Amino acid sequence: MRPRKGSSAVCSRCISLPPDTTSLPERRFEFIPFWGFLVFLLYSMRRVSCPRCQTVVVEEVPWGDGKRTLTRAYMLFLARWARRLSWKETAEAFRTSWDKVFDVVEHVVTFGLEHRVFSQIDAIGVDEIQYAKGHKYLTLVYQIDLDVTRLLWVGRERTIESFRGFFNVIGDELASKIVFVCSDMWEPYLKVIREKCSEALHILDRFHIVAKMNKALDEVRAGESRRMASEGLAPVLKKSRWLLLKREQNLKTEQRFRLRDLLRYNLKTVRAYTSQGSVSATLGI
């Protein structure tokens, strides 16, 4: 490629048009592959002496970014594929290197963070993801409005301090306008939500509600089973753990009959089981 005849080079710092320019050796820019063929743009960059910046810099070109050898279009192309494939698979598919894919993703994410705008946020979702062995977690905060779904923030670990970092970024004024918060029942998250979004409607993850109810039911069963054994009563709760924790539709025929017989006893475990069923039916879980 050659510059248009009579065109002026653009200063890459202030975007002005300095008059003094000199040509540099030809550079090669990688473009999006076409039908499996690698495509390169060859261009001799121009050095400009900018009186406004009072320095000598390389010109601004619309397809490139600084000293990167990949064009802007190719960087966005690779970044989109890196969301669908692993970075290694992306590099292999388009015959580039893992380091270039990493650099592209880092560049795109940095650009997005620098130009991120926090407008009105009505609903957020909080979750964690394990990124390495040994209980290594990241805290993820999403915006889940009806017309906007996006990742807002990522913090290392799933602690109170980590989650507070999100509210430090958006500020108290924006946090006070949040209407809905969806999360699991991890205690550090619950504490920060009570502190920062006390007026918001807090929607809990159904899976964790069921897990908490099952844990409470199992504790009641185990305690009552030990009490009955110490008092010399019939071990009617023996081997009944999964009988009570399984969904009724997943029970085998013999288990259904045994459960029916067990529910005839006036036990704390039976009352806890029926209460759990009422709550589950009310919540639709």
Side-chain angles (χ1 to χ4, degrees):
M1 297 193 305
R2 288 186 295 271
R4 190 178 67 253
K5 186 177 181 180
S7 65
S8 299
V10 179
C11 174
S12 56
R13 289 193 178 182
C14 65
I15 318 299
S16 64
L17 301 174
D20 299 329
T21 62
T22 55
S23 295
L24 295 172
E26 189 175 71
R27 282 177 57 181
R28 187 172 70 171
F29 299 87
E30 294 183 51
F31 193 68
I32 301 172
F34 184 70
W35 288 355
F37 293 96
L38 298 179
V39 179
F40 298 93
L41 307 181
L42 303 180
Y43 180 73
S44 297
M45 303 286 284
R46 293 175 290 180
R47 184 187 288 120
V48 298
S49 178
C50 182
R52 181 184 297 179
C53 299
Q54 296 184 349
T55 187
V56 177
V57 295
V58 176
E59 68 173 313
E60 174 81 6
V61 291
W63 63 83
D65 183 25
K67 296 183 178 180
R68 288 183 170 84
T69 59
L70 276 63
T71 60
R72 296 177 190 268
Y74 193 27
M75 287 194 289
L76 291 175
F77 179 83
L78 288 176
R80 290 193 180 99
W81 276 104
R83 296 179 63 183
R84 296 173 175 267
L85 306 174
S86 70
W87 295 355
K88 180 180 179 181
E89 290 172 328
T90 302
E92 291 175 349
F94 300 104
R95 292 193 287 173
T96 187
S97 67
W98 184 94
D99 292 328
K100 288 184 179 179
V101 176
F102 171 82
D103 181 67
V104 162
V105 173
E106 184 179 42
H107 172 72
V108 171
V109 170
T110 301
F111 179 88
L113 291 175
E114 291 175 351
H115 295 80
R116 177 178 53 182
V117 177
F118 290 117
S119 54
Q120 176 66 33
I121 301 175
D122 293 327
I124 62 171
V126 187
D127 201 0
E128 76 275 355
I129 184 173
Q130 185 176 4
Y131 68 91
K133 294 181 179 179
H135 300 287
K136 300 293 185 180
Y137 292 94
L138 297 174
T139 295
L140 309 178
V141 181
Y142 298 89
Q143 182 176 0
I144 50 175
D145 294 352
L146 288 175
D147 55 343
V148 178
T149 302
R150 58 172 176 165
L151 177 64
L152 291 176
W153 186 84
V154 180
R156 193 173 295 276
E157 302 304 332
R158 49 176 184 170
T159 61
I160 292 176
E161 292 74 16
S162 175
F163 190 22
R164 278 177 180 163
F166 165 70
F167 292 99
N168 293 336
V169 171
I170 67 172
D172 292 337
E173 182 180 355
L174 194 58
S176 64
K177 297 179 181 179
I178 295 176
V179 182
F180 303 101
V181 179
C182 182
S183 77
D184 58 24
M185 300 181 73
W186 182 244
E187 185 58 35
Y189 293 167
L190 299 180
K191 183 174 181 179
V192 176
I193 291 170
R194 287 194 298 266
E195 174 187 317
K196 299 292 186 178
C197 301
S198 58
E199 300 299 322
L201 177 62
H202 191 181
I203 304 166
L204 297 173
D205 186 352
R206 294 189 298 177
F207 170 81
H208 289 86
I209 294 175
V210 172
K212 290 286 186 180
M213 290 194 300
N214 285 343
K215 182 180 179 181
L217 173 61
D218 196 44
E219 289 175 353
V220 171
R221 178 203 61 79
E224 191 167 35
S225 180
R226 288 192 296 268
R227 180 185 62 79
M228 294 175 69
S230 65
E231 295 176 359
L233 301 176
V236 294
L237 292 174
K238 187 176 182 180
K239 296 183 179 180
S240 64
R241 181 186 184 190
W242 298 113
L243 186 71
L244 297 167
L245 296 181
K246 272 187 176 182
R247 289 181 177 270
E248 189 173 352
Q249 60 266 30
N250 295 333
L251 294 175
K252 297 179 180 178
T253 303
E254 58 271 20
Q255 291 177 320
R256 293 176 183 271
F257 284 117
R258 191 184 170 201
L259 177 62
R260 184 189 63 183
D261 294 337
L262 180 61
L263 294 180
R264 294 174 180 175
Y265 291 91
N266 184 23
L267 299 172
K268 288 183 179 179
T269 303
V270 173
R271 292 194 291 274
Y273 178 81
T274 54
S275 297
Q276 183 198 44
S278 299
V279 174
S280 298
T282 302
L283 298 178
I285 54 179

